[in-house]
Amino acid sequence: MFTGIVETVGILDEVKGTGGGFRVRIQTPLSQELKVGDSLAVNGVCLTVILIDGEHVLADVGPETSRVTTFGALQRGQEVNLERPMRVDGRLDGHFVLGHVDGVGVIEELKVEGESRWLTVGFPPSLAPFFIRKGSVAVDGISLTIAGLGERQFDVMVIPFTWSSTTLKGLKKGDKVNLECDMIGKYIWRAMELRK
């Protein structure tokens, strides 16, 4: 489990096919703090570290993950948000993030207000029940607060620190992002479905 507070940005050094899926090689300063078998959130997707090679970590991505996330379009040299799992004895910043992407969103608009940025993110209709104004959402693994909500899009304001310390700074209109809805909302929705 993660918090959506990105620890660092890594560089995708290699994307190599493995018969339906692929293997990623990521350069990161976190490599010396990880061990084989550890979980690592990469742009909001929970992956398992299978090898550590100096300042690089390697992880496999299965076909399903490639289909339901932005990972099918990963490119060598691309920056990725990285976060290690939360510690039970640590403080909880952000919100509970599982690293299980619910859908892919599209950046519809970027605006500047002072030193902050507004992002408008379009989302698939199936995710509409899981968003609430002032609720949490993970965008490429980043815990953000929904400031505005429409039928098919939400707005988030990004503070300068988050903008400059994550991959958000490289986004442009039309780019796709991984979305994970708030876990509590999903459980409530499922409970209501079962009561029908």
Side-chain angles (χ1 to χ4, degrees), residues 25-107:
R25 178 181 171 91
I26 303 166
Q27 181 181 355
T28 173
L30 295 178
S31 64
Q32 299 308 306
E33 300 175 48
L34 293 164
K35 63 183 186 307
V36 171
D38 281 353
S39 293
L40 181 67
V42 180
N43 276 3
V45 179
C46 181
L47 299 180
T48 301
V49 174
I50 62 163
L51 183 68
I52 298 168
D53 180 16
E55 59 183 21
H56 294 84
V57 297
L58 282 77
D60 286 334
V61 177
E64 176 67 2
T65 301
S66 180
R67 281 191 293 270
V68 301
T69 70
T70 61
F71 275 27
L74 287 176
Q75 299 290 322
R76 186 176 180 189
Q78 179 178 336
E79 290 188 330
V80 289
N81 296 317
L82 301 175
E83 181 191 356
R84 291 173 294 168
M86 62 182 283
R87 293 171 47 116
V88 176
D89 63 347
R91 295 178 58 153
L92 175 62
D93 294 326
H95 71 282
F96 290 120
V97 177
L98 298 176
H100 304 156
V101 171
D102 293 303
V104 173
V106 177
I107 302 299

Side-chain angles (χ1 to χ4, degrees), residues 124-146:
S126 61
L127 299 186
F130 308 113
F131 297 119
I132 60 170
R133 194 167 184 277
K134 303 300 182 186
S136 296
V137 62
V139 177
D140 272 351
I142 304 161
S143 177
L144 297 170
T145 301
I146 296 172

